[in-house]
Amino acid sequence: MFHARDAQASPPVIRREDYAPPAYWIDTVDLSFDLDPTKTRVLNRMRVRRNAEQPPQPLRLDGDELNLARVLVNGQGTSFKMDGDQLVLDGLPDEFDLEIFTTCNPEKNTKLMGLYLSQDTFFTQCEAEGFRRITYFLDRPDVMASFSVTLRADRKRFPVLLSNGNLVEQGVLEDGRHFAKWVDPHRKPCYLFAIVAGCLAAREQRIVTESGSEHLLQIYVRPGDLDKTEHAMQSLMHSVAWDEARFGLKLDLERFMVVATSDFNMGAMENKGLNIFNTKYVLASPATATDVDFDGIESVIGHEYFHNWTGNRVTCRDWFQLSLKEGLTVFRDQEFSMDLARTASARAVKRIEDVRVLRTVQFPEDAGPMAHPVRPDQYAEINNFYTVTVYEKGAEVVRMYQTLLGREGFAKGLALYFERHDGQAVTCDDFAQAMSDANPGSTLALHLDQFKRWYSQAGTPRVTAVGQYDAEGQRYTLTLSQTCPATPGQAEKQPFVIPVIAGLVAPGQGDLAVSLHGGEPATAHTLVLTEPSQQFVFERVTAEPVPSLLRGFSAPVVLNQDLSDAELLALLAQDSDPFNAWEAGQRLLMRQLLAAVTGAGDLAAPLQADAVAALRSTLRRSDLDAAFKALVLTLPTESYLAEQLADVDPQRVHAVREAARRQLARDLAADWAWAFDEHEDNGSYRPDPVSSGRRSLAGLALGMLVELARETGDSVWPGKAYQRTKDAGNMTDRYAATAALVNAGHALAQPALTRFHDLFADDALVIDKWFALQAAAPDRGGDALGRVEALLRHPDFNARNPNRARSLIFSFTGNPAAFHRTDGAGYTFWREQLLAIDAFNPQVAARLARALDRWKKLAEPYRSAAHGELQKVAAHPSLSKDVREIVEKALA
Ligand code: PHE
Ligand code: ZN
């Protein structure tokens, strides 16, 4: 199936509206593997049944890079055709046994999809369409089968043989080989299939759940890494307990396994009972992992575990429904981390961090050439749609159900969803319907069709708020209106259902208890905006208030609200909602930074005195957590600043933000010194939110103090930082100290980096940090690209390892002032690396291709230079369809 055009035809597009149920069902699959690095033999015996509800047609099985040796129908040789990569069988009975024998070459599998080798261990990755690289199959999520698997391999080299479900038999074979047979008691789509074979050791934990069932939890790693699995195991135990406590969802397997590999395209994969993880999200010790890593492990372990229900027990009908499992599961892992955080302040910190990701990554995606709805309508390559829109915006959509229905209503909806759909492959509509049906009469139920526009319309809605206070009538009238910008293929948008949590803050008094449209007085109300424009009237408003809107970021929108500096300062100091207190500070900083970028502001000191003073008093407050303070005192990112501008000069944005950082370093010098001394801990390391918040603030302070030393010539703070790179008790502090020197371009950076490398030469995840730190450091005098090119030749660099490629190349393209050079050399580097990686791993290359998504927003000379490089990529004769889809959209 190829749309005949020219030699480099656009890849064919798959459309959601073309969905048709499968023509055949596969009820059982019995796989047997003779594992061999260069030639693995796969015997696949299936029980197949025609789907009587579909018109009779040939059976078309998907395959990719397979060598086909034999096909038997009911034990008899049969004729077949190949149509591209598909194996086509015609004239079949209504029910039959199908036996297919193929071979593949795991060692040559550089795409890391299907069966591959990593450090002499076999792994599989099947989502989304990798199973077809293992055997011919109906590789689509609505075909669910019962799997049994026999693995045979050399006993010495591959002592551990794993697959989904339960181990039912194992034994020794001739010629030094052995075997293991696994049976998965749950039907599943083939994207959840997995095997692992190699030399691994496991941390094991037996647990008894709240409801009394017993399970074995195992975390498999390379034997030398066992001492780095404690945090992952703790996180897994917490996940099991949390899902049962919060949603009544129990572990449905006797044995739950997690296996770590250092070669993995993504973060982790929820294969039934056999999750496969990037080592980055399993391995941690205080000496080698930062607080951010510890948090990442907790949330990814949670995420994959929670997929066991949201994704595996109920799966997706087709890949357009990806957010059905991903948005819901991200929401669940976010809630998990927030519930574990325990204090209100730590919950807010987690929320702020999640929103920051949404705004710095998803908002740009939603405004660029790859903008797509949470439930996309079409794709050329599904791997390109594992996006922040499907994941993070999808999670915000799920969060809005909870905001509209309340925690209990949401839990009821989820319970109904499982009651109706357990064991099925379903759609986002089915989820929405369950939420609504479980809550009849709710606002959601009343506006369900309109609410579902969150799934079908791309783009970030804009909400504008205008308020008017009537002192005499003690009445405050708030007018909210909404619009949504056009996105590719969607010129006009219909209004969304937007929950806006609102409070009224009276300066000096705090939250006012007010009544909305005559209802019960309360300090917060959920306003539901459904019309293009709507008025909300608050009564008993005893003082002129500052409206605190979109508390907790109650909807994924841009809020336009004309607040004065004084009003923002009041919210920063007094809003009872910590998210909005942080938000007010960010708005104030953003306003002043943008003024400096567009020319009106002062480049030497972009921030105004009252803003700096407010940051100082926040820093000095005794009633706030350190983690929260660190967030308030961190300037908006360059990419978020750039998004606010029509015509972006990345060098100018960088210069302004750096100037503001220097100003904060200077103006708050005494306060940073105080903050460092006050928050530095020398006790034993614990990754809890309170102590990690202290480290975060101390690290921020140290960075500021070393930055300031560049100007003053002070050697005390750089000396302290250098000392810390030597004697820090944990990686968080060591990394922060090293980063402080590297980011300031201090002469001590080089010896610190050398030591760092020597100390951790054998730890790949730490060496990743070593590369990333250097690639992300500010460009001083245009030397960043040269530094990165030199690192590319470092003996430890290897682009075939995705983590390593990300740590150097992606960190560089994510470093705006280093990447966006007036001579365009950063873009040339990007093209060369992109094409090199595309030749062996299209999925990773396609992610790198996204670095120039927003080229049309760039000012000259960046814009033309970026355009030129994109065109060169598009003209390359042998692009993967992954990269082709991205660059064609960027150029459209
Ligand atoms: N489904 C995985 C997740 O949890 C992501 C993934 C997709 C991993 C494709 C590998 C390949 O989010
Ligand atoms: Zn997921």
Side-chain angles (χ1 to χ4, degrees), residues 488-776:
Q490 294 186 338
E492 302 290 331
K493 312 284 167 110
Q494 302 298 310
F496 292 85
V497 175
I498 302 177
V500 177
I501 300 183
L504 297 181
V505 179
Q509 297 177 43
D511 282 11
L512 297 174
V514 296
S515 83
L516 172 65
H517 298 154
E520 282 297 299
T523 54
H525 294 274
T526 303
L527 316 177
V528 184
L529 176 61
T530 55
E531 303 293 321
S533 182
Q534 233 167 305
Q535 280 199 342
F536 299 88
V537 181
F538 298 91
E539 271 139 9
R540 304 211 210 171
V541 185
T542 51
E544 171 145 30
V546 183
S548 167
L549 305 178
L550 211 68
R551 281 183 164 174
F553 201 65
S554 57
V557 302
V558 170
L559 175 64
N560 295 317
Q561 193 185 3
D562 229 346
L563 294 180
S564 67
D565 286 6
E567 287 173 315
L568 289 172
L569 288 167
L571 291 180
L572 171 58
Q574 295 173 51
D575 201 321
S576 65
D577 180 58
F579 179 88
N580 266 10
W582 168 79
E583 175 78 339
Q586 293 288 301
R587 277 175 188 267
L588 191 65
L589 295 170
M590 175 78 94
R591 182 179 292 175
Q592 298 176 8
L593 290 167
L594 291 175
V597 171
T598 52
D602 175 2
L603 239 197
L607 304 178
Q608 286 164 25
D610 53 356
V612 175
L615 293 183
R616 174 183 294 113
S617 50
T618 305
L619 182 56
R620 294 281 190 164
R621 266 170 70 173
S622 56
D623 59 332
L624 295 175
D625 280 0
F628 178 77
K629 294 182 185 182
L631 291 170
V632 172
L633 282 127
T634 299
L635 297 169
T637 62
E638 287 171 38
S639 96
Y640 190 45
L641 283 162
E643 276 307 307
Q644 320 302 314
L645 299 160
D647 215 18
V648 184
D649 176 346
Q651 294 295 341
R652 173 94 187 155
V653 172
H654 177 68
V656 167
R657 189 176 183 278
E658 286 297 290
R661 274 190 69 222
R662 281 195 300 275
Q663 185 188 358
L664 281 184
R666 198 165 54 233
D667 294 358
L668 302 184
D671 309 279
W672 292 123
W674 166 83
F676 181 80
D677 292 337
E678 192 71 13
H679 294 93
E680 145 190 70
D681 267 329
N682 287 315
S684 67
Y685 176 88
R686 288 194 313 138
D688 65 282
V690 172
S691 38
S692 79
R694 294 174 63 86
R695 284 185 291 271
S696 156
L697 188 56
L700 181 69
L702 187 59
M704 288 293 189
L705 292 159
V706 175
E707 179 69 36
L708 181 61
R710 271 163 42 87
E711 282 180 20
T712 61
D714 156 62
S715 61
V716 173
W717 285 104
K720 277 199 196 187
Y722 187 60
Q723 190 57 33
R724 216 171 165 73
T725 67
K726 295 187 187 168
D727 62 16
N730 59 72
M731 179 53 84
T732 305
D733 289 341
R734 189 187 299 276
Y735 189 84
T738 313
L741 293 168
V742 172
N743 290 341
H746 197 277
L748 289 170
Q750 200 48 57
L753 282 167
T754 304
R755 264 189 82 85
F756 190 99
H757 186 277
D758 290 350
L759 265 176
F760 298 103
D762 298 330
D763 192 317
L765 293 172
V766 183
I767 297 303
D768 288 339
K769 295 183 199 305
W770 183 82
F771 278 103
L773 184 51
Q774 298 177 75

Side-chain angles (χ1 to χ4, degrees), residues 22 26 60-64 86 113-114 125-143 189-192 317-319 379 382:
I26 301 176
R60 301 180 149 267
L61 297 172
D62 307 296
D64 183 23
Q86 288 188 329
M113 286 294 275
Q125 173 52 44
C126 294
E127 187 178 5
E129 297 176 336
F131 192 71
R132 64 185 63 182
R133 294 167 58 77
I134 298 174
T135 184
Y136 284 98
F137 205 72
L138 289 173
D139 190 357
R140 44 186 292 167
D142 56 354
V143 171
C190 66
Y191 81 87
L192 292 173
R317 185 192 74 175
D318 55 72
W319 291 120
Y379 60 76
I382 183 58

Side-chain angles (χ1 to χ4, degrees), residues 6-227:
D6 52 22
Q8 295 168 40
S10 308
V13 166
I14 323 276
R15 285 172 216 286
R16 183 167 62 87
E17 61 188 23
D18 291 345
Y19 173 82
Y24 293 82
W25 300 111
I26 301 176
D27 293 320
T28 64
V29 189
D30 185 43
L31 291 165
S32 128
F33 289 82
D34 277 295
L35 291 166
D36 181 277
T38 54
K39 189 175 184 185
T40 286
R41 287 130 44 99
V42 182
L43 177 60
N44 169 8
R45 296 142 106 176
M46 293 166 275
R47 186 73 194 155
V48 187
R49 168 167 58 92
R50 196 171 85 73
N51 180 356
E53 283 159 30
Q54 292 295 302
Q57 54 195 291
L59 172 62
R60 301 180 149 267
L61 297 172
D62 307 296
D64 183 23
E65 293 184 38
L66 297 171
N67 308 303
L68 178 58
R70 191 170 74 222
V71 184
L72 301 178
V73 172
N74 287 330
Q76 304 291 310
T78 181
S79 66
F80 59 84
K81 279 190 320 200
M82 296 305 300
D83 181 3
D85 285 333
Q86 288 188 329
L87 168 63
V88 185
L89 296 166
D90 210 346
L92 295 163
D94 281 352
E95 262 189 77
F96 53 95
D97 289 323
L98 177 60
E99 192 173 312
I100 297 179
F101 186 69
T102 53
T103 67
C104 58
N105 185 347
E107 208 172 72
K108 286 265 151 64
N109 183 357
T110 58
K111 296 182 180 172
L112 312 183
M113 286 294 275
L115 178 64
Y116 65 94
L117 270 177
S118 163
Q119 298 188 307
D120 213 39
T121 300
F122 289 98
F123 289 95
T124 52
Q125 173 52 44
C126 294
E127 187 178 5
E129 297 176 336
F131 192 71
R132 64 185 63 182
R133 294 167 58 77
I134 298 174
T135 184
Y136 284 98
F137 205 72
L138 289 173
D139 190 357
R140 44 186 292 167
D142 56 354
V143 171
M144 298 171 80
S146 296
F147 282 73
S148 55
V149 180
T150 304
L151 301 171
R152 285 184 288 269
D154 185 87
R155 206 170 133 205
K156 276 231 186 64
R157 199 165 158 196
F158 307 106
V160 173
L161 303 175
L162 307 175
S163 187
N164 319 83
N166 299 314
L167 178 63
V168 296
E169 209 186 325
Q170 58 185 328
V172 177
L173 299 165
E174 288 159 27
D175 301 338
R177 293 173 78 78
H178 68 151
F179 78 96
K181 180 165 185 192
W182 293 82
V183 175
D184 190 343
H186 300 276
R187 289 167 67 241
K188 64 171 176 287
C190 66
Y191 81 87
L192 292 173
F193 168 83
I195 64 172
V196 173
C199 184
L200 299 165
R203 173 184 291 264
E204 302 197 328
Q205 178 77 49
R206 288 183 191 282
I207 58 163
V208 181
T209 64
E210 192 61 33
S211 51
S213 57
E214 290 178 33
H215 311 265
L216 174 61
L217 309 180
Q218 295 178 309
I219 297 184
Y220 285 91
V221 295
R222 287 165 38 98
D225 287 330
L226 263 186
D227 59 338

Side-chain angles (χ1 to χ4, degrees), residues 210-250:
E210 192 61 33
S211 51
S213 57
E214 290 178 33
H215 311 265
L216 174 61
L217 309 180
Q218 295 178 309
I219 297 184
Y220 285 91
V221 295
R222 287 165 38 98
D225 287 330
L226 263 186
D227 59 338
K228 299 199 185 103
T229 53
E230 188 186 332
H231 183 65
M233 183 60 89
Q234 285 297 324
S235 301
L236 183 54
M237 290 165 67
H238 285 141
S239 303
V240 176
W242 181 84
D243 217 7
E244 185 163 351
R246 170 101 183 242
F247 292 117
L249 298 174
K250 294 176 189 148

